[in-house]
Amino acid sequence: MIENIKGVSPYLIEGIQLTLLITIVGVLIGFVIGAFIGIGRLSKNKLIYSFSSIYVETIRGTPILVQIFFIYFGLSDLFGINFDKITASIIAIAINAGAYIAEIVRGGVQSIDKGQWEAGRSLGLTSSQTMRYIIWPQAFKRMIPPLGNQFIISLKDTSLFSAIAVNELLYQGKQFATTTFVYFEPYFMVGVFYLIITIPSMIVLRMVERRLDV
């Protein structure tokens, strides 16, 4: 058993590096998407509101695995747009996380008392300046816990990329198992590696929450 754990570890270390890369880059891009879409969901402009709402409901209403296949296979078949596996994976995480982050942003902004907007206007600030200097800093503080949870969710969602043969953590474990016909140790260690990332992430998240008193 120990020998099998030692044997699978190099595979999993390689896989976890790619898993983290896809997750971090994807969620960062997703945050940018989510910030704009979330604010769009609060817009009084019907076109902006409608576009933002359709995006959120479409992405949240379909499984991420379907989105992965659409980006990697569908776009190539229909439009001739070809992404390599890693790029397709990052795009899938970004688009998927962006929809959920949009709702986090919307909820965070709406949680700020309306009196804060009035305070901005009384200081002679425009709506965009009020958002930037008064509303957003307070709202972002409240967004931190759900954003941390979304990071962990997106991290675990990367396991689905094994369906398009991305060499992430789960795929590497499967490769070792298929090659050696040993199954317990690879999948056990895949779970351990996920916990090695998620548990410290949750601890840091709780520390940040207490520090910011959110």
Side-chain angles (χ1 to χ4, degrees), residues 8-208:
V8 75
S9 293
Y11 285 76
L12 301 186
I13 290 171
E14 180 181 342
I16 201 65
Q17 292 173 346
L18 189 54
T19 292
L20 287 172
L21 172 67
I22 293 170
T23 304
I24 292 170
V25 176
V27 171
L28 285 175
I29 297 172
F31 177 77
V32 175
I33 295 172
F36 282 103
I37 296 295
I39 293 173
R41 292 267 281 169
L42 299 170
S43 176
K44 294 180 181 179
N45 184 300
K46 290 185 178 180
L47 182 61
I48 295 175
Y49 173 79
S50 298
F51 172 80
S52 300
S53 297
I54 290 170
Y55 169 81
V56 169
E57 298 306 327
T58 299
I59 298 303
R60 293 181 62 183
T62 54
I64 187 172
L65 188 58
V66 173
Q67 297 162 19
I68 294 165
F69 287 151
F70 178 78
I71 292 168
Y72 188 62
F73 297 113
L75 293 180
S76 175
D77 182 54
L78 189 60
F79 300 110
I81 301 174
N82 296 299
F83 294 111
D84 62 75
K85 293 180 287 187
I86 296 176
T87 301
S89 301
I90 291 173
I91 292 172
I93 285 291
I95 291 175
N96 185 268
Y100 289 92
I101 291 172
E103 288 298 273
I104 294 171
V105 169
R106 182 180 67 85
V109 171
Q110 286 184 324
S111 71
I112 304 303
D113 190 271
K114 292 181 179 179
Q116 299 293 317
W117 290 97
E118 297 171 1
R121 284 195 293 268
S122 69
L123 292 171
L125 300 177
T126 63
S127 295
S128 60
Q129 288 174 328
T130 301
M131 170 63 78
R132 180 179 177 182
Y133 296 112
I134 298 178
I135 304 300
W136 184 260
Q138 298 179 69
F140 183 74
K141 183 178 175 181
R142 299 183 182 184
M143 295 176 205
I144 290 175
L147 286 174
N149 290 334
Q150 182 58 48
F151 175 82
I152 293 172
I153 291 169
S154 294
L155 174 73
K156 293 185 289 186
D157 282 344
T158 59
S159 63
L160 296 171
F161 297 142
S162 62
I164 58 172
V166 175
N167 295 333
E168 46 72 51
L169 182 57
L170 178 59
Y171 184 81
Q172 289 292 88
K174 288 170 64 177
Q175 287 293 95
F176 182 86
T178 303
T179 303
T180 62
F181 300 101
V182 174
Y183 298 98
F184 175 80
E185 291 88 343
Y187 293 121
F188 174 78
M189 289 304 296
V190 166
V192 169
F193 270 66
Y194 275 116
L195 289 174
I196 287 172
I197 300 173
T198 57
I199 290 178
S201 298
M202 288 186 285
I203 292 172
V204 170
L205 181 60
R206 299 296 177 265
M207 291 172 62
V208 172

